[in-house]
Amino acid sequence: MSRMVILSNRVKMPDSGPMAGGLAVALQDVLIGSPVIWMGWNGKVTDTKVTDTGAYGDCADNAFDISENVDIKGAGIHEASTSITYVTTALTTRQYRHFYCGFANNVIWPLLHEQADFITQTPDDYIGYENVNRLFARQLKKTLRPDDVIWVHDYHFLSVAYYCRQLGMRNRIGFFLHIPFAPLVCWQQLSQSAELIEHLAHYDVLGMQTQQDKTNCLAVFRHYLKASLLSDLPINTSYMLQSLTKDTRSPSAQLMLNLTSCLAHCLTINAYPIGINAARIQQQASDLAAQSKRPIPKHRPIKSAAQHIIAVDRIDYSKGLLERFSAYRRFLQHYPVYQNQLKLTQIACPSRLDLPTYQRLYNHVKQTVRDINQQFLPDVSSSASSNNTFSNGDTTGDTTGDFVENWQAIRYSETVLNHDALMAAFWHSDVGWVNSLKDGMNLVAKEYVTAQNPDDPGVLLLSRYAGAAEQMQAAIIIDPHQPKSIIQGLRTALEMPLMQRKERYQELLYGLQQDNLHAWQQDFLDDLYGNKEHRINHERLKRHQMPERQE
């Protein structure tokens, strides 16, 4: 029986607590139904030495732990259970420094988020990145059966398929990029781009989050692989950015390539916008509504100034945290009626603090929150408020009654909430604020809308640069680089009447129900396993490789 083999940088082990970031959460929800192997880094760093066979080392001695037959129960869209085998390894200190901190997060991450100023690398970083990609290719070789299918996730593993092919593996291998795919001008700033794109071409399917990412990807591939394109085979050009409706899917594009590892190779590229488990979140919202004693407004033409905004982000320069705080400060200055009443809860998860860029940003975020809370103290002589700038307490309750007495402009917390608690926090809020400067999708935006009370829904304030904006045009779309856009959008959200909020909510929810997590998984795997369209392309490749018949 064919198995699905998942490779991602981090693996969400059972009962390991909540994790920040959408990738692990999304994968855990789709790995239900058939035998699955989930491979990746266990999050640990060890000083174990590896055998040095080159300038960096061959990474041949990493030990992999195997946890078999872990029973995972389905929920929401899946009612079945499945057996997942976890295959994980620790990284050595050197691998962590050069692969993870170095090339993955100091080079690829800023490159793909169009932040070239943050790119830094040492000569060993790229070598370390390639060696860890080779390490996991070797482990896949040891693990796979001939009919297994491999699904690789995210920017840490751009080169894995290339090394799998070098090892003689002919399994179908798909790759999904959870973050944006940068335009050609960004790739041209990196000396290793030509080799990385050639490595990426060895996958069978490349999945992007948005139509814009797909367009960027095809332009980059056509530039760097121009000499490898088989011009005598037609290429589907339906990838061009289309007018966006509720259905953002478009036909796949195929590139016929002449690669060194094979005579001809068909590469499928398409946008597969990742969704959420909408059914499960709606059930959570329904349970909250049944338990809540919160009154539902019947006639409220103008909402109270005592409202609650929520924002949930990793502390990353792509998330627009400082831009959010700056605009929020200006909003309170422009509209003093909201002072002592409006409250912003910022749940911020520190990440990658081993990198100086992230440590500086972390310190800047905390100092900015302190400054704003100090500026808008209800009582300048009150020390209680200033000492309560940061909170690690529960943010899920309805705290309307505390707005004036214990008010502070920003309630800041670094606590990573479990999923139920986070959905409850969304349900109790009036505005959800996604301020990304660049984001692959941003599942927070989708979860926020789905978790709303249908009788009194909150409003989503969504950056135009988040991938979710392609599908969620009924949100209030803002430009985080333009403070006036944010201020105007925030005021619109806070003053929006109930009928309009319901209309926007219903339109957004319909799209999220249609393009849910199951649809994302099914669309990608249909292409990866090979549907009718891809069987036709396979026959076309066979004809291309055979000598022409003499009539």
Side-chain angles (χ1 to χ4, degrees), residues 12 16 40 70 76 115 117 134 198 242 266 284 287 296 307 320 331 334 336 364 415 422 432 462 482 524:
K12 175 67 171 68
S16 60
V70 180
Q115 296 280 355
D117 291 345
R134 187 184 297 111
E198 198 270 337
Q242 302 176 350
C266 177
Q284 291 171 308
D287 293 343
I296 304 302
Q307 295 185 57
F331 180 86
H334 278 87
H364 196 176
T415 301
L422 184 59
L462 178 60
Q482 301 293 332
F524 187 92

PDB file of all heavy atoms in Angstrom, residues 12 16 40 70 76 115 117 134 198 242 266 284 287 296 307 320 331 334 336 364 415 422 432 462 482 524:
ATOM      1  N   LYS A  12       5.440  18.221  14.561  1.00  0.00           N
ATOM      2  CA  LYS A  12       4.567  18.392  15.725  1.00  0.00           C
ATOM      3  C   LYS A  12       4.299  17.021  16.331  1.00  0.00           C
ATOM      4  O   LYS A  12       3.476  16.256  15.857  1.00  0.00           O
ATOM      5  CB  LYS A  12       3.252  19.057  15.310  1.00  0.00           C
ATOM      6  CG  LYS A  12       2.222  19.174  16.438  1.00  0.00           C
ATOM      7  CD  LYS A  12       2.690  20.145  17.516  1.00  0.00           C
ATOM      8  CE  LYS A  12       1.557  20.411  18.523  1.00  0.00           C
ATOM      9  NZ  LYS A  12       1.218  19.222  19.339  1.00  0.00           N
ATOM     10  N   SER A  16       2.981  17.542  22.524  1.00  0.00           N
ATOM     11  CA  SER A  16       4.164  18.379  22.730  1.00  0.00           C
ATOM     12  C   SER A  16       3.808  19.835  22.985  1.00  0.00           C
ATOM     13  O   SER A  16       4.676  20.695  23.024  1.00  0.00           O
ATOM     14  CB  SER A  16       5.087  18.294  21.499  1.00  0.00           C
ATOM     15  OG  SER A  16       4.413  18.736  20.338  1.00  0.00           O
ATOM     16  N   GLY A  40      11.485  14.876  10.064  1.00  0.00           N
ATOM     17  CA  GLY A  40      12.005  16.228  10.214  1.00  0.00           C
ATOM     18  C   GLY A  40      12.867  16.376  11.449  1.00  0.00           C
ATOM     19  O   GLY A  40      13.277  15.403  12.089  1.00  0.00           O
ATOM     20  N   VAL A  70       1.715   5.617  16.230  1.00  0.00           N
ATOM     21  CA  VAL A  70       1.075   6.583  17.108  1.00  0.00           C
ATOM     22  C   VAL A  70      -0.312   6.857  16.558  1.00  0.00           C
ATOM     23  O   VAL A  70      -0.465   7.320  15.433  1.00  0.00           O
ATOM     24  CB  VAL A  70       1.894   7.893  17.180  1.00  0.00           C
ATOM     25  CG1 VAL A  70       1.216   8.893  18.098  1.00  0.00           C
ATOM     26  CG2 VAL A  70       3.305   7.583  17.675  1.00  0.00           C
ATOM     27  N   GLY A  76     -13.381  16.980  12.992  1.00  0.00           N
ATOM     28  CA  GLY A  76     -13.921  17.906  12.003  1.00  0.00           C
ATOM     29  C   GLY A  76     -14.099  17.237  10.658  1.00  0.00           C
ATOM     30  O   GLY A  76     -14.972  16.409  10.458  1.00  0.00           O
ATOM     31  N   GLN A 115      13.198  41.126   1.503  1.00  0.00           N
ATOM     32  CA  GLN A 115      13.912  41.947   2.485  1.00  0.00           C
ATOM     33  C   GLN A 115      15.412  41.714   2.326  1.00  0.00           C
ATOM     34  O   GLN A 115      16.086  41.178   3.207  1.00  0.00           O
ATOM     35  CB  GLN A 115      13.460  41.583   3.906  1.00  0.00           C
ATOM     36  CG  GLN A 115      12.007  41.883   4.193  1.00  0.00           C
ATOM     37  CD  GLN A 115      11.769  43.351   4.508  1.00  0.00           C
ATOM     38  OE1 GLN A 115      12.713  44.143   4.611  1.00  0.00           O
ATOM     39  NE2 GLN A 115      10.509  43.732   4.656  1.00  0.00           N
ATOM     40  N   ASP A 117      17.918  43.556   2.525  1.00  0.00           N
ATOM     41  CA  ASP A 117      18.799  44.213   3.485  1.00  0.00           C
ATOM     42  C   ASP A 117      19.118  43.318   4.678  1.00  0.00           C
ATOM     43  O   ASP A 117      20.109  43.542   5.375  1.00  0.00           O
ATOM     44  CB  ASP A 117      18.168  45.514   3.990  1.00  0.00           C
ATOM     45  CG  ASP A 117      18.094  46.584   2.909  1.00  0.00           C
ATOM     46  OD1 ASP A 117      18.777  46.424   1.881  1.00  0.00           O
ATOM     47  OD2 ASP A 117      17.344  47.562   3.088  1.00  0.00           O
ATOM     48  N   ARG A 134      20.883  16.982   1.794  1.00  0.00           N
ATOM     49  CA  ARG A 134      21.385  15.666   1.387  1.00  0.00           C
ATOM     50  C   ARG A 134      21.147  14.640   2.493  1.00  0.00           C
ATOM     51  O   ARG A 134      20.811  13.472   2.236  1.00  0.00           O
ATOM     52  CB  ARG A 134      22.868  15.748   1.054  1.00  0.00           C
ATOM     53  CG  ARG A 134      23.438  14.455   0.458  1.00  0.00           C
ATOM     54  CD  ARG A 134      24.937  14.542   0.236  1.00  0.00           C
ATOM     55  NE  ARG A 134      25.289  15.568  -0.738  1.00  0.00           N
ATOM     56  CZ  ARG A 134      25.923  16.697  -0.446  1.00  0.00           C
ATOM     57  NH1 ARG A 134      26.265  16.959   0.817  1.00  0.00           N
ATOM     58  NH2 ARG A 134      26.226  17.564  -1.387  1.00  0.00           N
ATOM     59  N   GLU A 198      17.651  25.213 -10.172  1.00  0.00           N
ATOM     60  CA  GLU A 198      17.881  23.943 -10.865  1.00  0.00           C
ATOM     61  C   GLU A 198      17.566  22.760  -9.950  1.00  0.00           C
ATOM     62  O   GLU A 198      16.997  21.754 -10.383  1.00  0.00           O
ATOM     63  CB  GLU A 198      19.328  23.869 -11.341  1.00  0.00           C
ATOM     64  CG  GLU A 198      19.581  22.830 -12.428  1.00  0.00           C
ATOM     65  CD  GLU A 198      19.963  21.474 -11.870  1.00  0.00           C
ATOM     66  OE1 GLU A 198      20.455  21.423 -10.729  1.00  0.00           O
ATOM     67  OE2 GLU A 198      19.763  20.466 -12.572  1.00  0.00           O
ATOM     68  N   GLN A 242      -5.066  36.015 -12.902  1.00  0.00           N
ATOM     69  CA  GLN A 242      -6.413  36.178 -13.406  1.00  0.00           C
ATOM     70  C   GLN A 242      -7.210  37.095 -12.487  1.00  0.00           C
ATOM     71  O   GLN A 242      -6.817  37.380 -11.364  1.00  0.00           O
ATOM     72  CB  GLN A 242      -7.106  34.809 -13.479  1.00  0.00           C
ATOM     73  CG  GLN A 242      -6.359  33.821 -14.368  1.00  0.00           C
ATOM     74  CD  GLN A 242      -7.011  32.456 -14.331  1.00  0.00           C
ATOM     75  OE1 GLN A 242      -7.880  32.208 -13.528  1.00  0.00           O
ATOM     76  NE2 GLN A 242      -6.576  31.576 -15.213  1.00  0.00           N
ATOM     77  N   CYS A 266       8.711  16.529 -16.491  1.00  0.00           N
ATOM     78  CA  CYS A 266       7.546  17.413 -16.468  1.00  0.00           C
ATOM     79  C   CYS A 266       7.386  17.974 -15.061  1.00  0.00           C
ATOM     80  O   CYS A 266       7.174  17.232 -14.098  1.00  0.00           O
ATOM     81  CB  CYS A 266       6.291  16.655 -16.879  1.00  0.00           C
ATOM     82  SG  CYS A 266       4.791  17.660 -16.795  1.00  0.00           S
ATOM     83  N   GLN A 284     -16.366  25.051  17.545  1.00  0.00           N
ATOM     84  CA  GLN A 284     -15.853  25.718  18.743  1.00  0.00           C
ATOM     85  C   GLN A 284     -16.599  27.022  18.997  1.00  0.00           C
ATOM     86  O   GLN A 284     -16.944  27.344  20.141  1.00  0.00           O
ATOM     87  CB  GLN A 284     -14.360  25.986  18.585  1.00  0.00           C
ATOM     88  CG  GLN A 284     -13.505  24.731  18.606  1.00  0.00           C
ATOM     89  CD  GLN A 284     -12.047  25.028  18.234  1.00  0.00           C
ATOM     90  OE1 GLN A 284     -11.762  25.642  17.215  1.00  0.00           O
ATOM     91  NE2 GLN A 284     -11.135  24.597  19.083  1.00  0.00           N
ATOM     92  N   ASP A 287     -20.051  26.308  20.378  1.00  0.00           N
ATOM     93  CA  ASP A 287     -19.992  25.945  21.800  1.00  0.00           C
ATOM     94  C   ASP A 287     -19.814  27.181  22.664  1.00  0.00           C
ATOM     95  O   ASP A 287     -20.414  27.301  23.750  1.00  0.00           O
ATOM     96  CB  ASP A 287     -18.843  24.972  22.044  1.00  0.00           C
ATOM     97  CG  ASP A 287     -19.074  23.619  21.379  1.00  0.00           C
ATOM     98  OD1 ASP A 287     -20.239  23.318  21.020  1.00  0.00           O
ATOM     99  OD2 ASP A 287     -18.093  22.873  21.193  1.00  0.00           O
ATOM    100  N   ILE A 296     -26.304  40.031  22.825  1.00  0.00           N
ATOM    101  CA  ILE A 296     -26.207  40.267  21.385  1.00  0.00           C
ATOM    102  C   ILE A 296     -26.891  41.586  21.059  1.00  0.00           C
ATOM    103  O   ILE A 296     -28.061  41.791  21.404  1.00  0.00           O
ATOM    104  CB  ILE A 296     -26.865  39.122  20.605  1.00  0.00           C
ATOM    105  CG1 ILE A 296     -26.236  37.788  21.008  1.00  0.00           C
ATOM    106  CG2 ILE A 296     -26.739  39.355  19.102  1.00  0.00           C
ATOM    107  CD1 ILE A 296     -24.749  37.720  20.799  1.00  0.00           C
ATOM    108  N   GLN A 307     -13.885  48.800  22.826  1.00  0.00           N
ATOM    109  CA  GLN A 307     -13.822  47.589  22.018  1.00  0.00           C
ATOM    110  C   GLN A 307     -12.448  46.926  22.176  1.00  0.00           C
ATOM    111  O   GLN A 307     -11.511  47.519  22.716  1.00  0.00           O
ATOM    112  CB  GLN A 307     -14.101  47.911  20.551  1.00  0.00           C
ATOM    113  CG  GLN A 307     -15.527  48.422  20.312  1.00  0.00           C
ATOM    114  CD  GLN A 307     -15.807  48.625  18.845  1.00  0.00           C
ATOM    115  OE1 GLN A 307     -15.692  47.710  18.030  1.00  0.00           O
ATOM    116  NE2 GLN A 307     -16.186  49.841  18.482  1.00  0.00           N
ATOM    117  N   GLY A 320       5.008  43.142  10.421  1.00  0.00           N
ATOM    118  CA  GLY A 320       4.559  44.524  10.528  1.00  0.00           C
ATOM    119  C   GLY A 320       4.140  44.943  11.928  1.00  0.00           C
ATOM    120  O   GLY A 320       3.252  45.781  12.080  1.00  0.00           O
ATOM    121  N   PHE A 331      -3.548  56.608  15.795  1.00  0.00           N
ATOM    122  CA  PHE A 331      -5.005  56.513  15.864  1.00  0.00           C
ATOM    123  C   PHE A 331      -5.524  57.068  17.187  1.00  0.00           C
ATOM    124  O   PHE A 331      -6.499  57.843  17.206  1.00  0.00           O
ATOM    125  CB  PHE A 331      -5.442  55.053  15.694  1.00  0.00           C
ATOM    126  CG  PHE A 331      -6.929  54.858  15.747  1.00  0.00           C
ATOM    127  CD1 PHE A 331      -7.705  55.011  14.613  1.00  0.00           C
ATOM    128  CD2 PHE A 331      -7.558  54.526  16.940  1.00  0.00           C
ATOM    129  CE1 PHE A 331      -9.090  54.838  14.661  1.00  0.00           C
ATOM    130  CE2 PHE A 331      -8.933  54.356  16.999  1.00  0.00           C
ATOM    131  CZ  PHE A 331      -9.700  54.512  15.856  1.00  0.00           C
ATOM    132  N   HIS A 334      -5.291  60.824  17.121  1.00  0.00           N
ATOM    133  CA  HIS A 334      -6.272  61.466  16.248  1.00  0.00           C
ATOM    134  C   HIS A 334      -7.692  61.361  16.808  1.00  0.00           C
ATOM    135  O   HIS A 334      -8.517  62.260  16.581  1.00  0.00           O
ATOM    136  CB  HIS A 334      -6.241  60.821  14.849  1.00  0.00           C
ATOM    137  CG  HIS A 334      -5.158  61.336  13.961  1.00  0.00           C
ATOM    138  ND1 HIS A 334      -3.895  60.807  13.965  1.00  0.00           N
ATOM    139  CD2 HIS A 334      -5.154  62.345  13.048  1.00  0.00           C
ATOM    140  CE1 HIS A 334      -3.145  61.451  13.081  1.00  0.00           C
ATOM    141  NE2 HIS A 334      -3.888  62.392  12.520  1.00  0.00           N
ATOM    142  N   PRO A 336      -9.103  60.830  20.305  1.00  0.00           N
ATOM    143  CA  PRO A 336      -8.930  60.671  21.755  1.00  0.00           C
ATOM    144  C   PRO A 336     -10.125  60.043  22.452  1.00  0.00           C
ATOM    145  O   PRO A 336      -9.993  59.564  23.584  1.00  0.00           O
ATOM    146  CB  PRO A 336      -8.683  62.103  22.242  1.00  0.00           C
ATOM    147  CG  PRO A 336      -9.187  62.992  21.159  1.00  0.00           C
ATOM    148  CD  PRO A 336      -8.988  62.243  19.887  1.00  0.00           C
ATOM    149  N   HIS A 364      13.065  45.888  20.381  1.00  0.00           N
ATOM    150  CA  HIS A 364      12.391  47.079  19.869  1.00  0.00           C
ATOM    151  C   HIS A 364      10.881  46.968  20.083  1.00  0.00           C
ATOM    152  O   HIS A 364      10.220  47.955  20.463  1.00  0.00           O
ATOM    153  CB  HIS A 364      12.714  47.247  18.386  1.00  0.00           C
ATOM    154  CG  HIS A 364      12.409  48.607  17.850  1.00  0.00           C
ATOM    155  ND1 HIS A 364      12.702  48.993  16.560  1.00  0.00           N
ATOM    156  CD2 HIS A 364      11.801  49.693  18.418  1.00  0.00           C
ATOM    157  CE1 HIS A 364      12.314  50.238  16.372  1.00  0.00           C
ATOM    158  NE2 HIS A 364      11.757  50.678  17.475  1.00  0.00           N
ATOM    159  N   THR A 415       2.604  34.462  25.665  1.00  0.00           N
ATOM    160  CA  THR A 415       2.074  33.128  25.892  1.00  0.00           C
ATOM    161  C   THR A 415       1.502  32.554  24.597  1.00  0.00           C
ATOM    162  O   THR A 415       0.667  33.193  23.942  1.00  0.00           O
ATOM    163  CB  THR A 415       0.963  33.153  26.958  1.00  0.00           C
ATOM    164  OG1 THR A 415       1.494  33.670  28.171  1.00  0.00           O
ATOM    165  CG2 THR A 415       0.394  31.761  27.194  1.00  0.00           C
ATOM    166  N   LEU A 422      -7.159  30.108  21.832  1.00  0.00           N
ATOM    167  CA  LEU A 422      -6.984  31.149  20.817  1.00  0.00           C
ATOM    168  C   LEU A 422      -8.296  31.435  20.104  1.00  0.00           C
ATOM    169  O   LEU A 422      -8.646  32.597  19.860  1.00  0.00           O
ATOM    170  CB  LEU A 422      -5.920  30.722  19.813  1.00  0.00           C
ATOM    171  CG  LEU A 422      -5.553  31.746  18.738  1.00  0.00           C
ATOM    172  CD1 LEU A 422      -5.046  33.039  19.359  1.00  0.00           C
ATOM    173  CD2 LEU A 422      -4.505  31.174  17.786  1.00  0.00           C
ATOM    174  N   GLY A 432     -10.017  41.783  14.406  1.00  0.00           N
ATOM    175  CA  GLY A 432      -8.793  41.013  14.229  1.00  0.00           C
ATOM    176  C   GLY A 432      -7.887  41.758  13.268  1.00  0.00           C
ATOM    177  O   GLY A 432      -8.335  42.197  12.199  1.00  0.00           O
ATOM    178  N   LEU A 462      -7.094  43.464   7.317  1.00  0.00           N
ATOM    179  CA  LEU A 462      -6.159  42.549   6.653  1.00  0.00           C
ATOM    180  C   LEU A 462      -5.218  43.290   5.717  1.00  0.00           C
ATOM    181  O   LEU A 462      -5.655  44.030   4.825  1.00  0.00           O
ATOM    182  CB  LEU A 462      -6.957  41.504   5.870  1.00  0.00           C
ATOM    183  CG  LEU A 462      -6.170  40.471   5.059  1.00  0.00           C
ATOM    184  CD1 LEU A 462      -5.250  39.651   5.951  1.00  0.00           C
ATOM    185  CD2 LEU A 462      -7.128  39.557   4.298  1.00  0.00           C
ATOM    186  N   GLN A 482       1.320  52.379   4.743  1.00  0.00           N
ATOM    187  CA  GLN A 482       0.652  53.681   4.705  1.00  0.00           C
ATOM    188  C   GLN A 482      -0.155  53.866   5.993  1.00  0.00           C
ATOM    189  O   GLN A 482      -1.264  53.337   6.119  1.00  0.00           O
ATOM    190  CB  GLN A 482      -0.279  53.762   3.486  1.00  0.00           C
ATOM    191  CG  GLN A 482       0.405  53.563   2.150  1.00  0.00           C
ATOM    192  CD  GLN A 482       1.374  54.703   1.831  1.00  0.00           C
ATOM    193  OE1 GLN A 482       1.197  55.841   2.279  1.00  0.00           O
ATOM    194  NE2 GLN A 482       2.416  54.392   1.070  1.00  0.00           N
ATOM    195  N   PHE A 524      -3.710  19.547  -4.047  1.00  0.00           N
ATOM    196  CA  PHE A 524      -2.282  19.295  -4.220  1.00  0.00           C
ATOM    197  C   PHE A 524      -2.014  17.813  -4.495  1.00  0.00           C
ATOM    198  O   PHE A 524      -1.256  17.473  -5.410  1.00  0.00           O
ATOM    199  CB  PHE A 524      -1.507  19.754  -2.985  1.00  0.00           C
ATOM    200  CG  PHE A 524      -0.014  19.679  -3.162  1.00  0.00           C
ATOM    201  CD1 PHE A 524       0.698  20.781  -3.617  1.00  0.00           C
ATOM    202  CD2 PHE A 524       0.695  18.507  -2.906  1.00  0.00           C
ATOM    203  CE1 PHE A 524       2.072  20.711  -3.803  1.00  0.00           C
ATOM    204  CE2 PHE A 524       2.057  18.426  -3.095  1.00  0.00           C
ATOM    205  CZ  PHE A 524       2.749  19.537  -3.545  1.00  0.00           C
TER     206      PHE A 524
END
